[in-house]
Every structure is written in structure tokens, then in C-alpha cells.
Amino acid sequence: KLAHYEIKGDSSRELISQMAKLGPIDQSEGRHFQGNTTWAVRWGFGIVGLPSGGCRLDDIKIDLEVLMTLPEWTPKRHADQRLVQAWPHFIANLTGHEMGHRDNGVRAAFAVRDAIAGIAPMADCQQLGAAANAAANLALNRLKDADAEYDRETDHGAKQGFQLP
């Protein structure tokens, strides 16, 4: 999903100020950013009995929900022309940074899928379900810090070239 928040201004200073006040709040850091991407992985599976006894997993389903929030600016008649020309590049680079966060969610979804799919049949169906959920949670926990690490590496995208003139 893609969401926008509206910003107004005719100069870089005004837009930066608007983004600092109106931009999405990163829940882990508790402050506004120019853009933000969150993701959540959910899973489900069926358990079927085997003719020889015991159970196996069946019908594994993985759901990834991604929400990307970006600024939306419509230049006014008196907007700085350098800013008007730079805005598409700024948004493209900001979007590229946010896509990196989305990619972390995709990796997490595949890791959860692989973890669940790797659970072997068991004699006890309840234990099988518990083992599948534990494996999924472990896979997800291994990737939970990926977004924070990505922001540290990129300085929240500043090293990726999205700055206004």
C-alpha cells in the first residue's frame, strides 16, 4: 500500500520543515521522517493426518503487508524553480530508499515460509503446529533488526542522495 501526506511550500527550507512536522513517525525511533515503510508478516497452515499416523503441514499461507508513506508536493506558481526541477529526483531516491525497507519485508516473508515448510511431519499434531509457529517466529525475529541496520548503513537514506537544493 502507498500513502501520501501533503506538504506545502515554495522553498527547500519550507518543504524540509513541513516533512519534519508532518512526515510519518517511525515507531522505533519516535520521530518524524520524510518517508517511512512498515511491513508485517502473517502466516497460516493446515495440519493433516497421515495414513501411517502422525501429521504433516499442509496449505501453508504467508501474507506480507507493506505500507509505504511518502510526501506529496504540488509546486505553487512562486516555487523555486531549482526545487521544482529537483523534486522528481528527490522523490525517486526517497522511494528507492523505502523500497529497501520493503525488500526487508519480502525477505522476512520468504524466511518465514521456508522455516514453516522445513518442519518435518510429527507424531503429535499439536506439537507440529507449535513447532511450525516457533520456527516462523524465530525466522521473523532474525530479521526484525534489518530495517534499523539498513537505516544505520544509509543514515536514513542520506547516503543515497535524496536531498533538496
Side-chain angles (χ1 to χ4, degrees):
K1 296 177 186 177
L2 179 61
H4 289 97
Y5 65 97
E6 185 178 355
I7 57 172
K8 297 177 182 180
D10 294 329
S11 69
S12 293
R13 178 174 285 145
E14 289 173 316
L15 295 187
I16 290 168
S17 175
Q18 287 275 299
M19 288 185 279
K21 290 177 189 170
L22 303 173
I25 297 176
D26 182 299
Q27 296 303 319
S28 64
E29 295 195 31
R31 62 185 183 116
H32 293 271
F33 284 94
Q34 295 165 341
N36 190 49
T37 299
T38 58
W39 51 265
V41 178
R42 292 174 194 74
W43 60 88
F45 48 82
I47 297 177
V48 296
L50 297 171
S52 59
C55 302
R56 69 172 174 80
L57 296 174
D58 185 45
D59 195 26
I60 298 169
K61 292 184 180 163
I62 307 298
D63 179 53
L64 171 64
E65 185 173 319
V66 178
L67 174 61
M68 184 183 297
T69 306
L70 298 169
E72 186 167 44
W73 174 59
T74 303
K76 302 246 188 304
R77 195 166 31 123
H78 302 293
D80 180 332
Q81 285 306 302
R82 291 181 321 138
L83 181 57
V84 171
Q85 291 173 350
W87 183 256
H89 181 70
F90 170 81
I91 284 297
N93 286 342
L94 177 57
T95 301
H97 172 77
E98 295 305 324
M99 289 298 286
H101 288 293
R102 175 203 161 271
D103 292 347
N104 287 334
V106 171
R107 276 192 287 283
F110 278 111
V112 167
R113 181 206 60 189
D114 293 347
I116 293 172
I119 300 296
M122 293 185 178
D124 184 291
C125 297
Q126 246 182 337
Q127 284 182 346
L128 176 64
N133 283 320
N137 280 312
L138 180 62
L140 198 55
N141 285 337
R142 286 185 180 142
L143 293 167
K144 71 178 180 169
D145 294 328
D147 282 329
E149 180 60 29
Y150 176 61
D151 278 333
R152 275 191 297 278
E153 289 172 4
T154 65
D155 192 17
H156 290 279
K159 293 179 180 176
Q160 293 172 301
F162 64 86
Q163 296 181 0
L164 294 173

